[in-house]
Structure formats: structure tokens, C-alpha cells
Amino acid sequence: MTTLIKGGTVVSATGADPAEVLIDGEQIVAVLQPGSTLADSAETGAERVIDATGKYVIPGGVDCHTHMELPFGGTFASDDFENGTKAAAWGGTTTIVDFAVQSFGQQVQESLDTWFAKAEGNCAIDYGFHMIVGDVNEASLKAMDVLVNEGITSFKLFMAYPGVFLSDDRQILLAMQQAASNGGMIMMHAENGIAIDLLAEQAVERGETAPINHGYVRRAELESEATHRAIQLAKVGASPLYIVHLSASEALEQVAIARGKGANVFAETCPQYLYLNLEDHLGAPGFAGAGYVCSTPLRSKHEHHHEDLWTGLRTNDLSVVATDHCPFCMKDQKDLGVDDFRAIPNGIGGVEHRMDLIYQGVVQGEISLPRWVELCATTPARMFGLYPQKGTIQPGADADIVLYDPEATWSISVDNHHMNMDYSAYEGFEVQGRVDTVLSRGKVIIENQSYLGAKGDGRYLRRGLSQYLL
Ligand code: DUC
Ligand code: ZN
Ligand code: ZN
């Protein structure tokens, strides 16, 4: 089947120009100048023509940080791979990289097999995996080498969650040395979990059990300290470093200093840290703040985190926007912590709304149109070994393409989202711009506000090494 997408403006990380995109089967075969002889003959020959007049034609979004079905605090993230990837597709994301989890005491390869089994045959869009190494030991260090050859080329470590996922500095350095030798990327959850757990314990002893205390005890200094420590350890270990879900100005400052001195350090932020805050959201009346409990936490609106993060996105001290999609329902999940914020499962669902929320940055003049594509598709693909198969519209790339209507207006609500959540963290947000049509490897999966894909359309992506290695 050949398809021509005509009449639209193709947006890439480097610019936006009128162009026509010719697809043959699952791949893009040509990007043509409108009105050229080649474009005219492509139109005559194409079996299907999609009219993109008035639309942006962008590479499908790449969300490199999701947690479908993540076991957390005695429950599981409420989106499974089937529903979560469908919700992603609705929002213009055509690739996810999810986190397989090695918990303490488990073997890396067995844990990975569990994640393969969860995803296989269920996904609406293509997917890859990072590996959370929750128990760094001799066997897991060796397994990292094997995984790199199987297309899992990035490894998340935690400086938070003592007794669950936390790696100490010795373990972190060992894993960094291993990554330095096998070409892997170290991803870091940078919060000082030992200090946080002490502050949390003291808060509960004082009777401060409401959701907002989750934000008070996870202090910005403790994100900044861990970020600094991770950067220094990465220098010693000679490995690249990618800081996940950065939320605080102070942590960004550490990244900026290191990058300014030439360190091979990168950071991602997430929409919740650009739009939501501690007082209004985590501190919402009653127990509603539980819906905003995630780690790193939302930061105070009385400081300048949002502005600083937008600046970081412009200057490239923040290179990627991902979601950390980790949804839990209020009922029977978030409410596990009704008497103690420590028992609230950590996470916010957002896989469906990343492209729209970051597009608001274009509307509001925070970032340029090409930068939107770069942050949400191109750089994550390059960072995690998926480029140029994903993240770009060019001959040879997978035909993962989104037609985006820049003029549509609508508001986000639990009533219109597709994630398995009984609330929306962005309820009532007025949005300009909307996903119109989504193609995944040449197949139209969203059109006319309908989902046309099928469970199992999505394939496993064996990833290469990051393009950001030195
Ligand atoms: N943070 C979250 O909010 N949820 C899952 C894990 C994490 O690090
Ligand atoms: Zn994390
Ligand atoms: Zn995460």
C-alpha cells in the first residue's frame, strides 16, 4: 500500500516546511516538494492520499519514560500495555520505552522476560525497554552486557526508595563502570532517599500525614544533592548520565554547571513539572492531592521552577520531555495512603497528553515549533538508540506520523481521556492544538476521533546505543 500525505507542513527538529510524504508499506520512502514533478507523479501513483491541509505533519512522539503495570506500594500502575499504548496513540505518541524492573533479589534476565510477556501481543504502538537494576551485584552487572546486545541499552538506578530500589554509591559506581565498558546509558532517579525517608518518618510522627507532606519532605535540596552526586560519580565512572524526571531549579542548575564544563550529562523533565505545583495540586482540598503524588514531587509555585524548566528546555540543559506515565486510580489505589502519605502509590498518568501539553509551550512562545518535535520525538529517539527508525520524517524511517491540527481547541478531562484513571491530573486545562490523524508504521490508527488500530499492532524495538555517547 502506498500513501501520500499532502498539503501539510512537515515539522522536523530543524525546521517547518510545506512538503509531501510518500509512504510505501511501513516506511517513508520520500519527502517531496509540493508541486514538483515527483510529487505530482507520487499523487497519481499513490493508492491512498491523506489531505493534511492546515495541519502539521510531525514524527510520532517518542515517550521514553513510561511504567505500564508497574508494581508499586502493593498495587500496580493502572494502565496495562494494551490500554496505555492505545492512550499514547490517541495523544500522538507512537513509541514508548517502558521500564522493565529487576527488584531486589531477582535475576535481571528473568525480570526482563516478565516484562516481555506483559507487552508482547498487547501493544498498539511500538515499544522498547530500559532495565531498572534494583539489585546491583555481580550477576546483574554481567547481565547488563547481555542486555545491551538484546537491544536494552539503558539502565535506571535509584538514589531514592531505600530498601526497595536504592543503590548505594558503590553500586552506582559499579554500574556506571559497566555502562562505560558496554556502551549503555545510565538513567538516574536522583533524590536522596535516605534523607527523605527520615523527614517523612518525622512528619508522620508529628501527625502530618496529608498528601502535601510528600512534597514538603522531598525537598529540592535533596534532588539537587543527588543530582550533583550522580554527576560526580558518572565523571569518575566515565559513563554518560541521563537524569530522569528533573523537577527542581536547583537540580537543573547542577546539570547546567556540569554541561557547561563539558560533562556528558543529560536531563529530562515531564509535563507535570511544567504545569502543576505543590500548593494547588499536591495541596488540593481533602485527599485530592493524592492524585498528584509522584516522585520527584511537584514544586512550589512561590519559587521559580516552572520558568527555569522552560528555560532549560530552550537552552538544552533539558534535552527531553517524557511523561513518567505511572497512573493510579484514586479509588482503591491512591486511597491506600489516606492516613499516611507514604502509602500513596507514586505516579501521575500523562502518556496521552504530552504532545498537547508541550505544544502549549509553542503557543505561549516558550519554545519553537521545531524544538517541540525535537524534545518530544527526535532527541528521545537519538538518546535511546531508535534514530533514524523513529523520531524523524525522512526516507527509510518508519512511517510513524501524526497530523496535528494547530487551531483546534478543547479541554482535557477524565471524561475524554483514554487512560485507565478515574481522574485527570490536568482536569479542565484548555488546550490549543489537537492530534488529528496517527499513522503507526504506515497504518492509520487514529482518524476522525476513532481508534482504528488493533491490540498487537505494536512491535518490540531492539534498540541500538545512544547517539550521545562520546
Ligand atoms: N516515580 C514515580 O512517581 N512513580 C514511579 C517511580 C518513580 O520514580
Ligand atoms: Zn524515578
Ligand atoms: Zn519513572
Side-chain angles (χ1 to χ4, degrees):
M1 169 89 149
T2 52
T3 304
L4 184 73
I5 301 174
K6 62 167 293 191
T9 299
V10 173
V11 185
S12 72
T14 53
D17 294 295
E20 307 195 351
V21 183
L22 183 62
I23 299 165
D24 189 359
E26 298 191 347
Q27 290 190 320
I28 296 164
V29 290
V31 181
L32 305 162
Q33 206 174 347
S36 64
T37 323
L38 282 173
D40 289 346
S41 67
E43 183 166 0
T44 318
E47 289 155 86
R48 173 176 60 181
V49 175
I50 298 176
D51 180 11
T53 305
K55 311 281 189 315
Y56 293 136
V57 179
I58 63 170
V62 178
D63 189 343
C64 59
H65 191 153
T66 68
H67 296 285
M68 307 303 170
E69 300 178 46
L70 178 78
F72 196 103
T75 185
F76 288 83
S78 56
D79 265 332
D80 59 15
F81 279 88
E82 181 182 353
N83 198 72
T85 55
K86 218 195 287 182
W90 274 103
T93 285
T94 52
T95 301
I96 60 163
V97 189
D98 202 87
F99 287 83
V101 182
Q102 178 219 17
S103 298
F104 189 79
Q106 293 177 340
Q107 297 297 317
V108 168
Q109 191 71 51
E110 280 170 26
S111 313
L112 178 60
D113 290 346
T114 310
W115 256 261
F116 273 126
K118 287 177 198 242
E120 204 178 342
N122 290 322
C123 293
I125 55 169
D126 290 353
Y127 61 96
F129 289 117
H130 312 284
M131 189 82 218
I132 288 176
V133 186
D135 188 359
V136 177
N137 56 37
E138 215 174 302
S140 46
L141 289 166
K142 279 201 190 115
M144 285 169 68
D145 293 350
V146 178
L147 261 55
V148 166
N149 292 321
E150 290 180 10
I152 290 137
T153 53
S154 37
F155 304 93
K156 184 179 179 191
L157 304 174
F158 285 81
M159 300 168 100
Y161 304 121
V164 186
F165 287 128
L166 182 140
S167 290
D168 64 24
D169 290 353
R170 175 190 169 87
Q171 290 173 308
I172 291 170
L173 190 51
L174 280 166
M176 286 173 164
Q177 288 169 338
Q178 200 76 18
S181 75
N182 66 25
M185 173 68 82
I186 294 293
M187 307 172 77
M188 189 63 78
H189 180 129
E191 285 187 292
N192 184 328
I194 292 178
I196 286 169
D197 277 14
L198 169 66
L199 296 182
E201 201 181 302
Q202 291 170 339
V204 171
E205 275 167 15
R206 290 192 300 268
E208 295 161 6
T209 59
I212 196 167
N213 294 291
H214 172 86
Y216 290 147
V217 302
R218 302 188 90 90
R219 294 179 55 140
E221 293 89 334
L222 300 177
E223 184 185 350
S224 158
E225 182 277 328
T227 303
H228 177 78
R229 183 158 38 103
I231 291 168
Q232 304 312 314
L233 289 169
K235 280 198 237 163
V236 174
S239 76
L241 175 67
Y242 177 95
I243 304 285
V244 294
H245 50 53
L246 187 147
S247 72
S249 304
E250 294 87 339
L252 177 59
E253 202 180 340
Q254 295 301 325
V255 171
I257 291 169
R259 286 175 60 83
K261 291 184 178 162
N264 207 28
V265 169
F266 307 92
E268 109 196 335
T269 193
C270 311
Q272 54 269 35
Y273 306 122
L274 295 163
Y275 290 105
L276 308 176
N277 66 64
L278 181 139
E279 292 82 5
D280 298 332
H281 300 100
L282 204 44
F287 189 63
Y292 300 92
V293 166
C294 60
S295 298
T296 55
L298 304 182
R299 299 295 175 191
S300 172
K301 67 177 177 185
H302 302 303
E303 295 158 0
H304 37 82
H305 305 284
H306 290 183
E307 299 91 300
D308 290 347
L309 294 186
W310 281 113
T311 302
L313 290 173
R314 278 196 298 280
T315 61
N316 207 33
D317 286 326
L318 293 168
S319 314
V320 168
V321 179
T323 58
D324 199 6
H325 177 74
C326 191
F328 296 99
C329 290
M330 293 298 287
K331 186 172 173 325
D332 296 337
Q333 295 200 293
K334 290 287 189 180
D335 62 11
L336 292 168
V338 72
D339 298 320
D340 182 343
F341 68 87
R342 294 174 300 179
I344 300 170
N346 286 200
I348 289 185
V351 75
E352 188 169 350
H353 298 313
R354 181 182 63 126
M355 300 301 285
D356 292 317
L357 288 167
I358 303 309
Y359 182 68
Q360 303 319 294
V362 179
V363 174
Q364 289 154 13
E366 296 282 3
I367 54 170
S368 70
L369 191 56
R371 183 66 176 155
W372 171 53
V373 168
E374 186 170 37
L375 289 165
C376 294
T378 313
T379 302
R382 295 187 65 201
M383 188 68 68
F384 294 109
L386 291 167
Y387 189 92
Q389 184 184 357
K390 305 293 187 189
T392 180
I393 295 182
Q394 68 181 60
D398 283 353
D400 288 4
I401 296 177
V402 174
L403 272 57
Y404 196 79
D405 179 355
E407 300 304 331
T409 52
W410 60 292
S411 60
I412 298 176
S413 170
V414 64
D415 299 327
N416 59 26
H417 76 199
H418 300 84
M419 299 176 287
N420 184 27
M421 292 171 73
D422 58 4
Y423 74 103
S424 170
Y426 302 98
E427 187 67 40
F429 267 55
E430 300 283 340
V431 171
Q432 183 182 328
R434 187 168 210 172
V435 170
D436 177 88
T437 304
V438 179
L439 287 84
S440 170
R441 271 186 286 101
K443 175 175 173 177
V444 175
I445 58 169
I446 301 283
E447 193 177 46
N448 299 325
Q449 293 298 305
S450 299
Y451 174 67
L452 307 176
K455 170 175 157 148
D457 279 348
R459 283 194 208 136
Y460 171 64
L461 294 163
R462 216 184 150 90
R463 296 184 293 113
L465 299 184
S466 172
Q467 287 194 348
Y468 290 82
L469 300 184
L470 292 174

